[in-house]
Each structure stands twice: as structure tokens, then as C-alpha cells.
Amino acid sequence: MQAPGGPKEDMSGGFKYGGWSASYGDEVLGKAMQEQMKPADLLLGRKTFEIFAGYWPKHANFWPGINDVTKYVLSRTKKKSDWQNSIFLKSLADIKKLKKSKGPDLKVWGSSNLIQTLLKNDLVDELRLKIYPLTLGKGKKLFDNGTIPAAFTLTESVVTPSGVIIVNYKRAGKVKTGTVGA
């Protein structure tokens, strides 16, 4: 999931495949991205926030509303930003409090460490995944050690002409086990 947008987006860990998603753009993927980029409050990790804050304020015509939505950022080191509507959270407890509040749903973009923390603590209600037909071998992972067992139900799926599988899943409780063929 590291650096899908460009070669210099996130080169941490010596990652050299930045921009890997660019060659898979097509009309179907573009339409799905427009739908996912409808204005919604965001929950971001610090690194993703810094990438976004360096880019989106000057390119908001590609993501209408990005500057207007609230950006919640989990960070132990960063406390403020010039990017409007940015609120900094210090801990998992702050995220749990936010999740219990009556505010709007939150979307998480990128933020691999944050997503892993959310998955470890059963704080994910929905997964919106794009699965690309390639392997990179290195880079940041979506599902890593510590993800709790959880079941999800498919709510939507489409395969683009370039082979990207776009799926949306809603949380469906605990993992059910059994015997195949029984």
C-alpha cells in the first residue's frame, strides 16, 4: 500500500516502486475514486497527513472538499498545522472517544500504521479495498501482525478493465469456522 501515487510520495525503507498504481487508471477506476473522494471527515496517520498537507491544499480541484472536511490526525509529535480543519489526536483513547461521538463517519486513507492499530483494536466498521494485479515484495502492508480475527460481508464489488478489484466490506462479527463439505 506504500506510495501508490508517485515515485517520491514515500520512499521510506528504501521503497523504489512509488507510483505503482498509475498504469492501472481507467474510466471504471476513475469513477470509483470520484465516489470515494466525496467529502467526508478523515482520520489519518501523521505520515499520510504530512504527504496530504503538502499536496492537497494546492490541488483541491482534483479532490473537491478536501480542504473543508475535518482532518483528524493521530500523532505523538505533531500538534498543529496550517492546513485548515486539522485536529490532532494523541492516543488510541482519543480515537475511541471520537468513534463513540455522534459525528459523521470517518474515512482512513493510506496510514498503514494507523490502520493496523485500528484493526488490532476492533475499530474498523468497513473496509474499502482496491486490489491491484501486481506484487511489490517490499513496502508497507495493510494487514500485518496483530490484526484481530474478524468477519466481513461483501457490500459491493467491481473489476476494472485494467484488472483492479474494488471491494467494499462491512464488519460482520466474529469469524465462523466449520468443516468444508460437511
Side-chain angles (χ1 to χ4, degrees):
M1 68 178 287
Q2 186 171 347
K8 295 187 174 148
E9 183 178 20
D10 180 358
M11 299 167 57
S12 63
F15 190 71
K16 60 183 179 180
Y17 299 107
W20 54 264
S21 70
S23 65
Y24 295 96
D26 58 38
E27 188 175 324
V28 175
L29 183 60
K31 189 179 261 189
M33 290 302 296
Q34 283 179 337
E35 184 65 28
Q36 289 184 0
M37 293 170 83
K38 285 186 176 176
D41 289 351
L42 303 175
L43 175 60
L44 303 169
R46 181 192 49 82
K47 291 176 188 174
T48 298
F49 175 81
E50 288 175 347
I51 292 167
F52 278 27
Y55 183 82
W56 287 114
K58 298 176 191 122
H59 299 90
N61 54 320
F62 294 111
W63 191 344
I66 186 64
N67 290 324
D68 301 321
V69 302
T70 302
K71 281 83 60 185
Y72 295 96
V73 185
L74 181 63
S75 176
R76 289 183 294 265
T77 57
K78 196 165 187 67
K79 296 182 183 2
K80 64 180 184 167
S81 171
D82 292 335
W83 194 13
Q84 65 191 45
N85 303 320
S86 298
I87 297 173
F88 291 85
L89 308 174
K90 297 176 185 173
S91 67
L92 182 62
D94 290 339
I95 293 174
K96 289 178 179 180
K97 183 178 175 183
L98 181 62
K99 184 171 171 41
K100 289 179 182 178
S101 72
K102 294 186 181 197
D105 289 344
L106 299 171
K107 290 184 180 179
V108 178
W109 284 80
S111 307
S112 61
N113 290 337
L114 172 60
I115 291 172
Q116 290 169 7
T117 297
L118 297 174
L119 288 167
K120 287 176 188 175
N121 289 279
D122 200 14
L123 294 171
V124 175
D125 298 323
E126 188 172 351
L127 294 170
R128 294 177 175 257
L129 305 175
K130 290 179 282 305
I131 304 163
Y132 288 77
L134 77 155
T135 58
L136 300 173
K138 292 187 175 213
K140 296 177 180 176
K141 311 286 187 246
L142 176 60
F143 303 106
D144 205 1
N145 294 334
T147 298
I148 65 161
F152 290 83
T153 299
L154 180 68
T155 59
E156 187 177 351
S157 66
V158 65
V159 179
T160 71
S162 63
V164 178
I165 302 168
I166 303 167
V167 291
N168 297 344
Y169 295 103
K170 284 208 180 253
R171 186 72 158 82
K174 297 185 182 276
V175 173
K176 296 175 185 170
T177 62
T179 302
V180 174

